[in-house]
Amino acid sequence: MEQHVTPCEDSPPPLMYRVERPVFNEAYLHTQLLHPRERSPKTIRQRLAQQLHCSSERAKAIALSFLPILTWLPSYPVKEYLFGDLVSGLSTGVMQLPQGLAYAMLAAVPPVYGLYSSFYPVLLYTFFGTSRHISIGTFAVISLMIGGVVVREAPDSMFTIQALNGTATNTTVFIDTEARDARRVHVAVVLTTLVGVIQLVLGLLRFGFVAIYLTEPLVRGFTTAAAVHVFISQLKYLLGIQTPRFSGPLSALHSVTAVFSDITSTNVTTVIVGVVCMVVLYCVKDLNERFKKKLPVPIPGEIIVVMVSTGISYGLSLSENYQVDVVRTIPSGLLPPAIPDFSLLPNLVTDSIAIAVVGFSMGISLAKIFALKHGYSVDGNQELIALGLCNFVSSFFHTFAITCSMSRSLVQESTGGNTQIAGLLASMVVLLVVVAIGFVFQPLPQTALAAIIMVNLLGMFKQFRDIPALWRTSKIELAIWVVAFVASVLLGLDLGLLVALGFAILSVIYRTQSPKSIILGQVLDTGLYCDVDEYEKAAECTGIKIFHSNSSIYFANSDLYLNALKEKTGVDPVHLQAIRKARKRKLKKESAERESQNHKSPQKMSAVVKLDVELGVTHEVVAGGGSQNHLEVQGNGQVAETHTESDSEETRFLEPLCPVHSLILDWTPVNFIDSVGAKAIKLVIKEYAAVDVCVFIAGCSRTLLAELRTLQFFTGVATPEMVFPTVHDAVLHCRRQTAPPTIPAMQ
């Protein structure tokens, strides 16, 4: 086989591809050319001994994989990395302070617990994490999911108290916020403990691959819906309205309805402070984006807003004079460790699984982006273990579940961060605030925190741009994005994620059941075969149909595969069998009519021709008429045959039922086949053989062939001689058969 390419005048001579070999089929390859290696099967004892084998090298490898800091800290280049890590750590820590306070509001716990969650997990990740650039800590989506669970388990209605108002008939209903907050903290801590256990167990069981089931369109649609939930939840803080917090299906609609029903009680001062903070933050972020190449360190817009709004609130006494809600008490110092209240566990299992998977998915996806950019690798299983330890251990110190933050990670990477030392320094900044100067933030207006959250959502809202892009590239991925978004907005983040996962799995099934099926044709003078409908240079081989379908063959789509095969090739064995039966009936009817006429006219007898090999060819003509065959003796003893009407009818019956004598199934894209698919293929081979159409298989991988042998495919009508390593081998074999196989004589 030769492939000729006409070179351009100035281009170098093309590489030539010349192959000359016999046509191979699987029977020859398996018995003559390929010889499997002989491997003695290992016993269970040998396998266990291999897995449990311990040596100093293996112990060292396990220690290094469990504590990745030991692989890079001893060789840490101080002069090269320390300054960048120092600047990055301070910048990220300054950004982590207001976000920790703000995201605690999303988690429905007092703000100081956001600071705790910004210290302990970050410290632990330094020792156990494999990513050098992601910023671990509070994150809006996870905080909102926690807040939904916390409000469901500890609603305001559980803590209402009726107090007498002067007389026995007048009572005032108020909420015991101290008891409510304490209960909500307990729920958040227990939920975090369970999230940590799930992530830790999945990591130890090497289940880091679970993140692949959260496809990018699903995650982006889900996080966009989470941004909508977060934005709606902050409206009441921005407007200064007191409304209940809702959870569960349609919670977003209930929250919007509650805000607009109480819109008349808006606090104008709160709105002014919040809007000004949002404008300042937006301008600062825009400046950082425009001049990110010129600015050595991004302008810390969040901390500027926090400091200025805190100073104004303290100086003007916004809380007392204008009824602006502020953060209030922030206790100094760290709380002693305590054991969570595990009696709450049964109600939190489903929610903890969703939070654990989403948190890990966020972390590993961002970690892989930075690892690819900076040329190192991250271990998905170790990341699960690291996040699990961060959540589990930190929960004993009153934190809520964490993952990485996209905005902080971008700051940590863009300001020169090189290793996890940057995260360690960021946690030290948070520790300094918690231990020494936490009281400074007590007059901080909650509307300023709401402004910080809302402006940080801009990046997530930009994901709406995915819709036109996916419309142009992949309608199925667009459907996954839209379903994840709509389901998460209407049903809540937990149920929405479950619905989105189910739809994504259904889309995979749909793709396997709706593959693209084509007929291949040969490109002239090459061994290449392409779609005849798409490429004009691809021409079908005479009498041969090459069928290609880009899917595997298993119980869910085996019938669809066979239907597509019959439709695209135009060769339906059932239809051909019906034609054959109709021909038989017609021929029998005509024969019966002729016999009847012969009985009615005995004087009309057919010519009887006697051929005697020993005596030569003689002929004797008996008087007769009608439709008959005549043999005339010619020179050299040859016999010339002339056909009449009766013979032409039989000839028409003996004609091939269709011009196609061979079908080639291109199995290059087939990854696996199950017993149902194998039986279906054997059945169709038998059906086509009954109408004298041979079926061949080409392009099987060795793994697929091993599966076919395990399924005992090569028995009966299917043989290894029908399988060829390439389509071209199968075509050359079929071309040798210049005519279809002989049709059996009619009984």
Side-chain angles (χ1 to χ4, degrees), residues 364-374 378 406:
I364 193 63
S365 58
L366 203 58
K368 286 183 176 180
I369 291 174
F370 286 124
L372 183 63
K373 180 178 179 180
H374 293 276
V378 292
M406 183 179 298

Side-chain angles (χ1 to χ4, degrees), residues 366-573:
L366 203 58
K368 286 183 176 180
I369 291 174
F370 286 124
L372 183 63
K373 180 178 179 180
H374 293 276
Y376 63 93
S377 61
V378 292
D379 184 353
N381 295 312
Q382 181 58 30
E383 284 297 299
L384 260 177
I385 293 174
L387 284 176
L389 286 172
C390 289
N391 282 315
F392 178 73
V393 175
S394 300
S395 67
F396 291 88
F397 295 89
H398 315 281
T399 66
F400 55 85
I402 52 85
T403 185
C404 79
S405 166
M406 183 179 298
S407 58
R408 290 198 310 272
S409 299
L410 291 173
V411 169
Q412 181 170 318
E413 187 258 350
S414 62
T415 52
N418 297 297
T419 64
Q420 291 92 323
I421 294 295
L424 178 64
L425 294 174
S427 69
M428 294 298 107
V429 174
V430 177
L431 177 63
L432 175 65
V433 173
V434 172
V435 173
I437 58 175
F439 65 92
V440 172
F441 299 102
Q442 291 182 3
L444 174 62
Q446 290 187 2
T447 185
L449 295 177
I452 292 173
I453 293 173
M454 288 180 167
V455 174
N456 280 324
L457 294 176
L458 289 177
M460 292 188 184
F461 283 128
K462 289 180 180 178
Q463 293 176 152
F464 279 112
R465 298 174 182 172
D466 294 346
I467 295 177
L470 290 174
W471 175 263
R472 293 189 296 267
T473 57
S474 173
K475 303 295 191 299
I476 294 180
E477 290 187 345
L478 173 61
I480 294 174
W481 195 103
V482 172
V483 168
F485 174 78
V486 174
S488 300
V489 168
L490 296 180
L491 302 179
L493 297 181
D494 47 359
L495 292 177
L497 178 63
L498 186 62
V499 170
L501 276 172
F503 184 80
I505 294 172
L506 287 177
S507 71
V508 175
I509 297 175
Y510 170 78
R511 291 189 188 195
T512 61
Q513 292 192 325
S514 302
K516 183 179 181 181
S517 301
I518 59 176
I519 296 296
L520 301 181
Q522 184 181 15
V523 180
L524 187 62
D525 295 332
T526 71
L528 304 178
Y529 293 84
C530 300
D531 185 0
V532 295
D533 293 331
E534 186 173 355
Y535 301 100
E536 59 182 20
K537 292 289 186 180
E540 289 191 55
C541 305
T542 305
I544 303 171
K545 291 284 186 179
I546 307 170
F547 178 73
H548 174 100
S549 180
N550 58 340
S551 71
S552 297
I553 306 170
Y554 63 109
F555 68 93
N557 73 338
S558 57
D559 289 340
L560 298 173
Y561 182 89
L562 299 184
N563 292 336
L565 169 64
K566 296 170 184 177
E567 180 182 352
K568 295 295 291 188
T569 59
V571 183
D572 187 347

Side-chain angles (χ1 to χ4, degrees), residues 206-218:
R206 323 304 288 174
F207 266 64
F209 65 88
V210 295
I212 64 176
Y213 293 102
L214 294 176
T215 178
E216 184 180 1
L218 186 151

Side-chain angles (χ1 to χ4, degrees), residues 251-263:
S251 60
L253 299 180
H254 293 320
S255 298
V256 172
T257 303
V259 168
F260 280 101
S261 356
D262 202 21
I263 195 77

Side-chain angles (χ1 to χ4, degrees), residues 52-113:
L52 300 177
H53 172 70
C54 186
S55 63
S56 58
E57 292 80 6
R58 184 166 185 178
K60 181 180 178 181
I62 292 175
L64 291 177
S65 64
F66 188 69
L67 281 170
I69 191 173
L70 298 178
T71 62
W72 57 267
L73 187 60
S75 58
Y76 181 79
V78 177
K79 293 183 179 180
E80 185 179 353
Y81 281 0
L82 184 58
F83 180 75
D85 284 340
L86 180 63
V87 174
S88 176
L90 292 176
S91 303
T92 308
V94 167
M95 189 176 180
Q96 204 153 20
L97 283 172
Q99 288 192 359
L101 295 170
Y103 294 155
M105 294 169 55
L106 291 178
V109 296
V112 69
Y113 292 93

Side-chain angles (χ1 to χ4, degrees), residues 128-359:
F128 297 102
T130 60
S131 176
R132 304 174 189 172
H133 295 93
I134 64 173
S135 175
I136 293 296
T138 56
F139 183 54
V141 175
I142 300 298
S143 299
L144 185 66
M145 295 179 74
I146 295 169
V149 179
V150 165
V151 172
R152 186 192 69 206
E153 297 296 323
D156 290 341
S157 58
M158 289 179 59
F159 305 95
T160 56
I161 299 176
Q162 292 185 349
L164 296 177
N165 189 15
T167 63
T169 57
N170 295 328
T171 58
T172 302
V173 178
F174 67 93
I175 299 174
D176 187 354
T177 56
E178 186 175 347
R180 181 200 64 185
D181 290 345
R183 177 68 175 178
R184 289 181 173 179
V185 168
H186 286 316
V187 174
V189 167
V190 174
L191 182 64
T192 302
T193 304
L194 195 52
V195 168
V197 169
I198 292 171
Q199 290 176 333
L200 189 57
V201 170
L202 290 178
L204 293 175
L205 294 178
R206 323 304 288 174
F207 266 64
F209 65 88
V210 295
I212 64 176
Y213 293 102
L214 294 176
T215 178
E216 184 180 1
L218 186 151
V219 172
R220 293 176 73 85
F222 174 78
T223 52
T224 307
V228 173
H229 278 282
V230 172
F231 186 86
I232 292 173
S233 70
Q234 296 307 297
L235 287 176
K236 65 178 184 179
Y237 297 108
L238 183 68
L239 302 175
I241 297 174
Q242 300 296 327
T243 61
R245 183 162 178 168
F246 300 91
S247 61
L250 302 180
S251 60
L253 299 180
H254 293 320
S255 298
V256 172
T257 303
V259 168
F260 280 101
S261 356
D262 202 21
I263 195 77
T264 54
S265 61
T266 300
N267 188 314
V268 178
T269 306
T270 301
V271 174
I272 293 174
V273 173
V275 171
V276 170
C277 291
M278 291 179 68
V279 171
V280 171
L281 283 171
Y282 181 80
C283 293
V284 170
K285 284 187 176 293
D286 187 61
L287 289 174
N288 285 335
E289 183 65 25
R290 287 172 180 262
F291 302 102
K292 60 183 179 181
K293 295 183 179 180
K294 298 181 179 179
L295 292 173
V297 177
I299 303 171
E302 284 91 350
I303 199 64
I304 291 174
V305 165
V306 166
M307 297 300 294
V308 173
S309 60
T310 301
I312 293 175
S313 175
Y314 178 77
L316 299 179
S317 299
L318 295 181
S319 177
E320 291 80 11
N321 297 334
Y322 299 95
Q323 290 73 49
V324 175
D325 292 327
V326 296
V327 171
R328 300 191 186 280
T329 305
I330 296 182
S332 297
L334 300 172
L335 296 178
I339 298 176
D341 182 9
F342 293 111
S343 63
L344 299 170
L345 283 180
N347 298 334
L348 307 177
V349 174
T350 305
D351 304 290
S352 61
I353 293 174
I355 294 173
V357 173
V358 172

Side-chain angles (χ1 to χ4, degrees), residues 608-620 631 633 637-639:
V608 178
V609 180
K610 297 179 180 180
L611 301 177
D612 191 328
V613 177
E614 295 180 356
L615 300 178
V617 179
T618 62
H619 69 281
E620 178 181 357
L631 297 178
V633 179
Q638 295 180 350
V639 180

